Amino acid sequence: MKKSWVLSIIMSFVLLGGVFAPAGSYAAAADDSTTTYSEDEYYEEVDTSEQEPIPTVEEEDFLNYLDQLDSASVYEEKAFNALGGGFYITSSNRKSVFLKLTNTAIPNYTKYVSKLKLIKPQNAELQKIHANLIKGSYAQLEGFQLAKKAVSKTTVNSAVLKQANAKIDTGKKSIEKYHKEISAYANKLGYDF
């Protein structure tokens, strides 16, 4: 995995947190009432403070989805941090990569995929989008497991390592598709990504 790709995932979650900030002028919030002049020549206080709009069912489902996704992402981050932004495997670092995959990356990424499978959005469109994330993440998990198998012996098994890289790339494509679709979905709901 490339470090920039991992950072883009993390940044997407950071950006998702930014969508909850209310739009509008903060300076206007300081003065929530204005004075108007009526025909009877007296001043009347008129409350112009805006009330928070009540989220729709679809928006509530989306916000709930983001919360669940955020709690699952902790495991994904641990897995990618263990790999140090990717793994270039040589005979000299084979054992180190094997230990990172065995002890940290695969167990945490397995928990991440398991948590993703437990997320059940109510909205059919969001379910379809989420399915791409599950599909891509599961393919990457399989790739990590193949990479572990490739480095488990004293010599690196190049053929299995090639299969691992292919699985990881397949997963990455599904995850990229997910990011495009979730961004479009968020924009449709009025959240700026």
Side-chain angles (χ1 to χ4, degrees):
M1 309 288 357
K2 294 187 182 204
K3 190 167 194 153
S4 63
W5 186 80
V6 172
L7 289 175
S8 70
I9 290 173
I10 294 169
M11 287 305 298
S12 69
F13 288 114
V14 170
L15 293 175
L16 289 175
V19 301
F20 302 115
S25 171
Y26 290 102
D31 182 21
D32 63 350
S33 65
T34 59
T35 307
T36 58
Y37 185 74
S38 70
E39 290 182 14
D40 297 328
E41 296 186 4
Y42 67 89
Y43 292 93
E44 179 180 298
E45 293 291 321
V46 178
D47 185 10
T48 59
S49 64
E50 294 183 28
Q51 294 180 354
E52 293 265 338
I54 298 172
T56 65
V57 173
E58 189 175 22
E59 290 171 333
E60 282 285 334
D61 188 38
F62 181 63
L63 295 175
N64 185 38
Y65 172 74
L66 293 178
D67 286 342
Q68 292 177 52
L69 195 60
D70 189 43
S71 70
S73 69
V74 171
Y75 297 107
E76 178 191 33
E77 188 175 345
K78 286 179 183 178
F80 286 137
N81 287 342
L83 295 174
F87 47 91
Y88 179 74
I89 300 171
T90 63
S91 58
S92 62
N93 73 352
R94 176 203 62 79
K95 187 173 182 177
S96 171
V97 171
F98 175 78
L99 292 173
K100 288 177 186 178
L101 285 167
T102 302
N103 297 331
T104 309
I106 292 175
N108 279 295
Y109 208 75
T110 300
K111 287 179 188 175
Y112 171 67
V113 173
S114 296
K115 294 262 187 197
L116 289 181
K117 289 180 179 181
L118 295 175
I119 299 173
K120 305 286 185 203
Q122 300 300 312
N123 180 292
E125 184 178 0
L126 192 53
Q127 288 173 359
K128 182 180 173 189
I129 294 168
H130 182 65
N132 285 322
L133 180 59
I134 292 172
K135 178 182 173 185
S137 298
Y138 190 76
Q140 285 193 325
L141 177 59
E142 289 176 332
F144 294 154
Q145 291 167 335
L146 285 169
K148 175 184 165 184
K149 182 179 177 182
V151 297
S152 64
K153 306 283 185 206
T154 54
T155 58
V156 177
N157 186 331
S158 305
V160 175
L161 187 58
K162 188 174 182 178
Q163 291 174 338
N165 288 331
K167 273 287 189 187
I168 291 170
D169 286 342
T170 299
K172 184 178 175 183
K173 288 176 186 173
S174 289
I175 292 171
E176 287 171 351
K177 181 179 178 185
Y178 161 79
H179 281 288
K180 287 178 187 175
E181 290 176 353
I182 199 71
S183 180
Y185 183 80
N187 287 333
K188 181 181 91 167
L189 293 177
Y191 297 108
D192 191 24
F193 270 48

